[in-house]
Amino acid sequence: MSERTPAGRYLDAAIGLLERVRDEEAEAIAAAGTLLADTVADGGRLFAFGAGHSSLAAQDVVYRAGGLALMNLLAVPGAVGVDVVPATLGSALERVDGLAGAVLDSSPLRSGDALIVVSLSGRNALPVEMALGARARGVKVIGVTSVTYAAETTSRHSSGTFLKDHCDLVLDSKIAVGDAELTLDGVAAPFAPASTVVTSALLQAVLATAASTLADRGIEPPLLRSGNVDGGHEWNARVFEKYADRIFYRH
């Protein structure tokens, strides 16, 4: 595929971002994976949150073949993906002060757990308050965001801060403001977003590190297998039974 085609240019841009993340975020990925492994080993539970399209990467690590069975989705009704109608309501909910606190109050999150908060811009009230509220409850927070937004945009939270300012660890996706990798003469708007590709890869790298770290300590990682391979459902049933008190997407 020619690199001069739009498809080739996009794939090259995505590969370039993945290479930057691999090289520049290696230490943060290792630390985040270790934090999750520590949480699992200490009896804690794992959660992931994202609003809008940032929720796609969070959902990708929940009930996932090859993933950690203990990863649960912390969902905010109306803000998970584009299932709400009108879709613009989801964007509006991200800017509502106090919503994160209400969600946390009714969630199973407790001290000793770990929460991944995914927000590309990190500027809206919902992810900022989610991180703030979780840490106030004794939860370790890993933020996945584009740090450049904090330098090139203004916060929409009353504190003037961003998600990155309220995390125990931050993973920088390196995505440029606007999340569009291509431009074309005659086309007014940039296009071809890469944040989902990069953020999903970042999180899978973290979970791979967590599983490997647990194994290195002699702890069997609570991994799920595909239900489309022989024995997969039976394997998962045993994992679900063993960790029933730490898995919330089954009840």
Side-chain angles (χ1 to χ4, degrees):
M1 184 181 295
S2 171
E3 64 179 14
R4 292 186 295 274
T5 68
R9 288 171 56 210
Y10 173 77
L11 291 171
D12 284 346
I15 291 168
L17 286 164
L18 289 171
E19 288 178 337
R20 284 190 63 196
V21 164
R22 179 197 63 199
D23 297 339
E24 299 172 19
E25 296 300 298
E27 185 174 338
I29 290 170
T34 301
L35 188 155
L36 294 187
D38 290 343
T39 302
V40 172
D42 292 340
R45 295 87 59 79
L46 309 179
F47 295 84
F49 162 78
H53 284 92
S54 289
S55 179
L56 296 176
Q59 293 179 62
D60 188 52
V61 296
V62 176
Y63 185 47
R64 189 71 165 85
L68 290 176
L70 306 191
M71 185 63 70
N72 301 278
L73 185 67
L74 184 62
V76 177
V80 181
V82 291
D83 57 330
V84 64
V85 178
T88 50
L89 174 60
S91 298
L93 290 174
E94 290 186 65
R95 300 191 292 272
V96 174
D97 291 339
L99 180 56
V103 171
L104 288 169
D105 285 343
S106 60
S107 79
L109 268 171
R110 67 188 184 194
S111 180
D113 292 344
L115 171 64
I116 297 170
V117 179
V118 184
S119 175
L120 176 61
S121 72
R123 68 189 300 218
N124 290 309
L126 186 53
V128 170
E129 293 180 359
M130 193 67 76
L132 267 168
R135 292 183 84 192
R137 289 163 170 80
V139 175
K140 295 292 187 181
V141 175
I142 298 170
V144 186
T145 188
S146 172
V147 173
T148 192
Y149 270 83
E152 300 183 18
T153 68
T154 56
S155 171
R156 287 177 173 152
H157 188 248
S158 57
S159 67
T161 61
F162 289 76
L163 168 62
K164 72 174 186 65
D165 300 314
H166 305 287
C167 301
D168 295 280
L169 291 169
V170 175
L171 300 175
D172 184 4
S173 64
K174 317 295 181 181
I175 301 294
V177 173
D179 191 17
E181 294 300 318
L182 301 184
T183 58
L184 195 64
D185 290 343
V187 177
F191 56 100
S195 61
T196 304
V197 172
V198 176
T199 303
S200 292
L202 257 174
L203 289 185
Q204 293 298 347
V206 169
L207 293 189
T209 302
S212 178
T213 301
L214 287 168
D216 288 344
R217 297 177 184 178
I219 300 172
E220 178 74 20
L223 296 169
L224 294 174
R225 287 187 172 181
S226 172
N228 296 313
V229 299
D230 292 343
H233 287 301
E234 292 77 12
W235 171 280
N236 292 341
R238 290 191 294 270
V239 174
F240 292 149
E241 181 179 4
K242 182 176 180 180
Y243 295 98
D245 61 332
R246 298 159 78 179
I247 295 173
F248 299 94
Y249 49 82
R250 285 178 50 81
H251 53 77

